[in-house]
Amino acid sequence: MSLCNPTLLKRCLPVLTAVACLCLSHFAGAAQPVRLRINTSHGLNNAKGAVIDAGLSLSEVVVTPSSPDNGRQYLSPDKFVTDARAVGATLLSSSFSGWNYLYDSMGYQQLATNGMAHVYAYEPRKSQLPSAPPPAAFVTVNRIGGTTGGGIEFGVPTDYMHGKGQGTTPSAVTAQLAGLMACLKFRHPSWNWFDVKAALRSTAANYPTGYDPYKSGYGAIDFQKANSLDNASHLALFAPATVILGKKGDQLFFRINPFSQTRRFTDVVFKFATKPAPTLKELTLAEITAMGGEYLFSSYLHKDANNYAYRMGWGEIAYLVWFTQDAALKFSRIESYSIFGPISISNP
């Protein structure tokens, strides 16, 4: 019988098609391993333990150190990215002191371009500005009860999950959070790292009452609740991490670090004559306008979208509020860190 018999081929085609679809479906749905790189070996066992606690294997979330030397071969954030790229890691973790909120602006482009996030212990050498935003491309965390302040994003209890990932030090909970974030990414392969952060923020203890730098930012994480979320287009919107770079004459210069979750379309800033109160729900344009907001800037209209200069009027007093907007014209809620002001300049 000819292998090219048309009758036989016609009879077999439905079966072959079904098998092919089954195979394609299997491979399309299979999550690729997520690779987590630990800066030296500091916190390595906590990160690995967190993976086991979450019910995954170390072949699904691959955790490796940049070196076996526990602390003495520490890599700076830019060199650490190069190291992570060499092994295909997209999540980085540094359990060392010295956090500065300006790191997010310095390292944002490199991390975002490479599809990476960098978890960093919130142990600053000096106090951070209370108004500093939680980072966009970095992730800051400390143990509940430990150091907190401007720019912190999460807290983790020292006995969290009561398993192999728990630890009593800032280093331990930093690596533990990194391990759990890698697990979220494995279980939600369509999410980017901003989506992972959005899921953790919106399920953390302080989310219902708003970001609080004096209470670990968004507060204690809830891995199980974050993991129960699904569609990235339904995750809560979060404002960009915007900081003031400086002032020259009548101009105030801003650096915008977009919170580039799947829902994000653009970053927008509005001007208010009086300080708006934090508003713990997503807003429409009509609602922002009714609150007194005047549109100033959308990043998608500008080539250099990460920078913005606001020209202050003589004698004017203003407040600027930064939002993330989605394609349906919904805007992120107003958190304390997204409000700048009062901004004013006196007559010469």
Side-chain angles (χ1 to χ4, degrees), residues 213-225:
Y214 303 108
K215 295 182 179 179
S216 301
Y218 283 106
I221 64 165
D222 191 324
F223 171 80
Q224 286 81 4
K225 282 187 178 180

Side-chain angles (χ1 to χ4, degrees), residues 237 263-266 268 281-285 287-288 323-333:
L237 279 176
R263 273 188 72 187
R264 174 188 174 271
F265 172 64
T266 186
V268 185
K281 72 180 190 74
E282 292 182 9
L283 297 165
T284 65
L285 179 60
E287 288 172 324
I288 295 173
F323 298 87
T324 293
Q325 176 203 315
D326 72 3
L329 283 178
K330 293 288 293 222
F331 295 82
S332 54
R333 62 192 204 164

Side-chain angles (χ1 to χ4, degrees), residues 110-134:
Q110 188 183 30
L111 288 167
T113 299
N114 287 288
M116 294 176 171
H118 189 163
V119 186
Y120 211 105
Y122 189 86
E123 283 288 306
R125 292 195 178 93
K126 61 181 181 180
S127 297
Q128 303 293 285
L129 294 175
S131 59

Side-chain angles (χ1 to χ4, degrees), residues 12 14 24 27 29 44 47 68 97 118-119 142 216 226 247 263-264 270 275 278 281 286 303 306 316 333-334 341 348:
C12 293
L24 287 173
F27 286 113
L44 180 66
S97 63
H118 189 163
V119 186
N142 206 341
S216 301
K247 175 184 172 184
R263 273 188 72 187
R264 174 188 174 271
F270 288 83
K275 185 177 182 178
K281 72 180 190 74
K303 184 177 180 181
N306 290 87
E316 132 182 276
R333 62 192 204 164
I334 300 176

